Amino acid sequence: MDNEDNWLIDDSDDVATATAVDPWRVLIVDDEPDIHQVTRLALGNIDFLGRPLELMSAYSGREALATLEQDDDIALMLLDVVMESEEAGLRVARAVREEQHNHRVRIILRTGQPGIAPEREVIESYDINDYKAKTELTRDKLYTAVLGTLRSYRDIMLIEQQRQMLAANRRGLLKVIDASSSIFQLQSIRQFAQGVLEQLQALLFFEQEALYVVVKGSVAALDQDGATTVLYATGGYAALCDKPLADDVLARFKPSIDEAMRDGRSVFADDHFVGFFRAHQGAANLLIIDGPVALSHADRDLVELFCRNVSIAFENLMLRAEIEDTQRDIIYRLSEVVENRSQDTGKHIHRMAEYAWLLARELGLSDEDAEIIRAASPLHDIGKVGIPDVVLHKPGRLDDAERRIMDTHAALGHAMLKDAKPRILKMAAIIAHQHHERWDGAGYPQRLAGEAIHIAARIIALADVYDALSNARCYKPAWPREDVLEAISLGRGSQFDPAVVDAFFAVLPQLEAVQARLQDTQQGS
Ligand code: C2E
Ligand code: SIN
Ligand code: SIN
Ligand code: FE
């Protein structure tokens, strides 16, 4: 299927025979009945490109336009210039192009005065193919002119058809992009895989059976146990869902899979297609369509684009899946340790998460990093579960001994989380450990300074103080807004990273919107 670049100029009748029953419709426009007669005699029983002619007649410019208005598949008009007026024919040519917007019908002008050609400008403006003197009505001359003109009409129609198909493909692709932007609503990887296969099949009008396969590791790992998992499959392959790719199926597609993984792109074979993309966490994703796939270059580009798009959506989904796993892990750990230990309000934790995300984005961290920090932030004070109630819930100021006990919550939180595997819990361990460090090195527990403090902890430090000052605690009332902002300003470069303070003021309206939306209903600890 590599000949689509030159099939337009292929004069074999393949294309025409598809519609062999349809004649070419040719409209003779002339006010002299004799001309109709002669033309019919000259062209009557000849086939052009495998199709006969259907000759139609109009005897004035007005009648010609009415006929064209009704029949939008007239291929050719043999058009007299002088009829009801000197320029009636030229008026027809102008009206058919400019008013009826018919740019398909071919036009051969015929004039009674040999040697007087219509102006070049007229020929170009109204896309007139040819002009002939009426004396040139011999069968041979007419045949040659009509053949050339019908050929160009056929090409125009094919291009038009192709453009419509391409537009349909584009619409399919837009649907795909819409679908992947709503990917956050898809509940599982499997549902995602199903959606991708359905979209791809719809996009390319495929009826074939298909598989969505994830491969861990490199091409060399293909044969190892557990390297492949079928996420979704249709038709005869449906039984493979959630299983490794069966040996016989793997063997059938292996050369293409090898090639796709080696070259990092999709492979179009005669009787199947292997779409490829690599999610940036490492796993390779294969979309296998089993069956002949005849695609133009433009279609192939669309498929490649689709695969890239899918890989971005897949990345988002994997991240979300990891967050969900992590959250289950968190809930498990907390329910074991805590059990209504802290009076801290849930709202505080939600606000912190939103503040942290806004600050991280403003500071230019990636979506993914911001998401991880947001997910980890609720655990920043988890170490407080190890602080005795009398200290934690003391209504007034802490004395020095109590303060020393209180300060251990940072190291305690770190100790609780430091061995966890999920990257969100690793991040939480760092945040728990470092969120009371200060930019100037006067914080606790490690007295880290500047960029030795993890950016996530620098963000949480500010979010934490902003929230503590803006709301009442058991040991203090809420501060007025101006005082809160002044304290944060004063802390720029001493308590806080100056860049984080700048980000804070840049997103202050959004922070305050969060504050308003997530207000405390009861007093926190
Ligand atoms: P928290 O209540 O969540 O406060 C977090 C951080 O906000 C504090 O970290 C501190 O940096 C800032 N902050 C809170 N209230 C004030 C304030 O009135 N003035 C100023 N300048 N900053 C404030 P810090 O100091 O390391 O305290 C850690 C945690 O220790 C607090 O978390 C709170 O649970 C507890 N805590 C601190 N001071 C007292 C206290 O006087 N009485 C009681 N009962 N608990 C305290
Ligand atoms: C087709 O010919 O398959 C549709 C148009 C295109 O994709 O080039
Ligand atoms: C991360 O990249 O781990 C998030 C925070 C940071 O950039 O340090
Ligand atoms: Fe804390």
Side-chain angles (χ1 to χ4, degrees):
M1 182 67 192
D2 242 337
N3 60 342
E4 67 270 13
D5 288 330
N6 55 20
W7 58 278
L8 279 184
I9 53 165
D10 178 2
D11 262 347
S12 74
D13 289 340
D14 295 3
V15 187
T17 49
T19 46
V21 280
D22 294 334
W24 302 109
R25 313 186 81 193
V26 174
L27 180 62
I28 305 165
V29 186
D30 207 301
D31 56 349
E32 293 172 51
D34 285 358
I35 298 294
H36 291 260
Q37 204 66 29
V38 176
T39 308
R40 283 176 185 273
L41 279 174
L43 298 175
N45 292 318
I46 307 178
D47 277 6
F48 289 87
L49 307 166
R51 294 162 66 174
L53 296 189
E54 179 189 326
L55 294 169
M56 305 160 74
S57 285
Y59 296 89
S60 69
R62 206 174 310 110
E63 195 187 338
L65 284 173
T67 307
L68 286 159
E69 184 80 53
Q70 277 181 2
D71 283 295
D72 67 356
D73 64 344
I74 291 172
L76 167 63
M77 172 159 56
L78 298 168
L79 181 60
D80 188 15
V81 175
V82 183
M83 290 178 289
E84 63 262 53
S85 71
E86 280 289 301
E87 301 207 317
L90 298 184
R91 235 173 255 142
V92 169
R94 183 192 311 118
V96 75
R97 299 293 188 224
E98 291 181 354
E99 286 159 32
Q100 298 186 349
H101 304 291
N102 180 344
H103 300 281
R104 301 174 303 277
V105 64
R106 300 295 82 208
I107 299 175
I108 296 178
L109 273 186
R110 295 203 291 187
T111 160
Q113 297 119 302
I116 304 184
E119 290 164 40
R120 236 179 104 138
E121 203 190 311
V122 171
I123 293 188
E124 280 166 10
S125 314
Y126 306 137
D127 189 13
I128 288 162
N129 290 70
D130 207 347
Y131 82 93
K132 291 266 175 276
K134 282 193 192 172
T135 49
E136 298 180 277
L137 281 177
T138 66
R139 188 185 163 104
D140 279 356
K141 285 197 169 149
L142 258 184
Y143 176 83
T144 310
V146 169
L147 176 65
T149 311
L150 288 179
R151 196 177 278 156
S152 77
Y153 176 77
R154 183 195 61 181
D155 291 351
I156 284 168
M157 293 309 283
L158 286 171
I159 289 167
E160 174 95 336
Q161 199 183 344
Q162 203 186 14
R163 213 172 42 209
Q164 278 169 12
M165 288 173 79
L166 197 57
N169 280 356
R170 291 243 161 78
R171 279 195 296 279
L173 187 70
L174 285 179
K175 270 204 320 235
V176 161
I177 290 168
D178 279 353
S180 40
S181 65
S182 62
I183 203 70
F184 283 100
Q185 273 133 48
L186 290 175
Q187 288 309 304
S188 68
I189 300 282
R190 182 166 166 177
Q191 205 180 34
F192 173 81
Q194 175 180 3
V196 168
L197 282 189
E198 282 169 0
Q199 295 283 358
L200 186 62
Q201 289 182 313
L203 185 66
L204 299 171
F205 321 111
F206 285 155
E207 297 292 321
Q208 292 96 333
E209 294 167 349
L211 302 126
Y212 188 132
V213 184
V214 172
V215 184
K216 289 202 210 86
S218 67
V219 60
L222 261 184
D223 298 315
Q224 287 164 19
D225 285 349
T228 59
T229 310
V230 178
L231 286 186
Y232 194 78
T234 65
Y237 295 116
L240 288 177
C241 275
D242 294 327
K243 301 203 175 101
L245 194 55
D247 287 342
D248 56 325
V249 182
L250 177 59
R252 166 151 154 56
F253 299 112
K254 189 144 188 317
S256 295
I257 293 176
D258 284 349
E259 189 184 330
M261 292 187 66
R262 194 190 58 228
D263 298 346
R265 57 178 182 76
S266 302
V267 173
F268 298 84
D270 285 343
D271 62 350
H272 63 271
F273 160 76
V274 175
F276 173 89
F277 64 87
R278 191 179 285 289
H280 105 196
Q281 295 289 306
N285 288 249
L286 302 171
L287 304 171
I288 302 173
I289 307 274
D290 185 4
V293 175
L295 294 180
S296 66
H297 289 302
D299 284 335
R300 291 176 187 209
D301 289 346
L302 287 180
V303 170
E304 292 287 345
L305 187 59
F306 175 78
C307 286
R308 278 200 295 281
N309 205 50
V310 166
S311 83
I312 292 165
F314 187 76
E315 197 70 20
N316 286 338
L317 188 68
M318 293 304 278
L319 179 60
R320 215 177 64 126
E322 185 183 350
I323 290 169
E324 283 164 359
D325 286 352
T326 305
Q327 282 166 350
R328 273 190 289 278
D329 194 356
I330 292 167
I331 290 161
Y332 174 71
R333 279 162 195 268
L334 291 192
S335 59
E336 261 195 333
V337 187
V338 200
E339 256 327 72
N340 59 36
R341 175 64 185 72
S342 170
Q343 291 172 21
D344 226 23
T345 70
K347 296 279 180 52
H348 163 62
I349 285 188
H350 277 122
R351 288 193 301 264
M352 290 284 294
E354 299 309 312
Y355 299 156
W357 189 84
L358 286 165
L359 291 171
R361 292 302 284 154
E362 179 64 23
L363 284 161
L365 272 66
S366 71
D367 227 349
E368 189 172 330
D369 287 341
E371 204 53 68
I372 290 172
I373 293 171
R374 165 159 51 189
S377 69
L379 295 173
H380 72 280
D381 265 345
I382 186 68
K384 282 185 182 172
V385 300
I387 305 299
D389 280 350
V390 283
V391 177
L392 189 63
H393 299 149
K394 181 176 174 175
R397 285 187 62 83
L398 302 175
D399 65 27
D400 287 354
E402 290 164 338
R403 186 74 222 192
R404 275 193 296 279
I405 293 171
M406 182 53 102
D407 290 356
T408 62
H409 81 278
L412 277 174
H414 178 245
M416 288 171 63
L417 296 166
K418 70 181 194 331
D419 298 323
K421 293 272 181 321
R423 55 188 169 149
I424 290 168
L425 293 188
K426 288 188 187 304
M427 175 60 70
I430 294 168
I431 290 172
H433 204 191
Q434 301 181 2
H435 74 283
H436 290 293
E437 300 289 358
R438 292 170 50 112
W439 184 252
D440 60 11
Y444 65 93
Q446 299 178 94
R447 302 186 134 263
L448 300 176
E451 291 181 352
I453 309 162
H454 196 283
I455 182 64
R458 282 180 263 146
I459 288 170
I460 297 294
L462 178 49
D464 191 25
V465 173
Y466 173 60
D467 200 63
L469 297 183
S470 303
N471 295 279
R473 292 282 195 264
C474 70
Y475 61 95
K476 59 164 275 295
W479 288 21
R481 176 177 186 273
E482 296 315 313
D483 295 358
V484 174
L485 300 185
E486 194 190 346
I488 288 169
S489 261
L490 281 174
R492 186 180 187 279
S494 51
Q495 187 170 2
F496 307 119
D497 177 351
V500 178
V501 173
D502 295 344
F504 171 86
F505 283 104
V507 296
L508 188 56
Q510 287 112 291
L511 297 172
E512 290 182 332
V514 171
Q515 174 90 250
R517 184 161 53 87
L518 298 171
Q519 269 176 354
D520 285 344
T521 46
Q522 61 172 77
Q523 305 279 296
S525 59

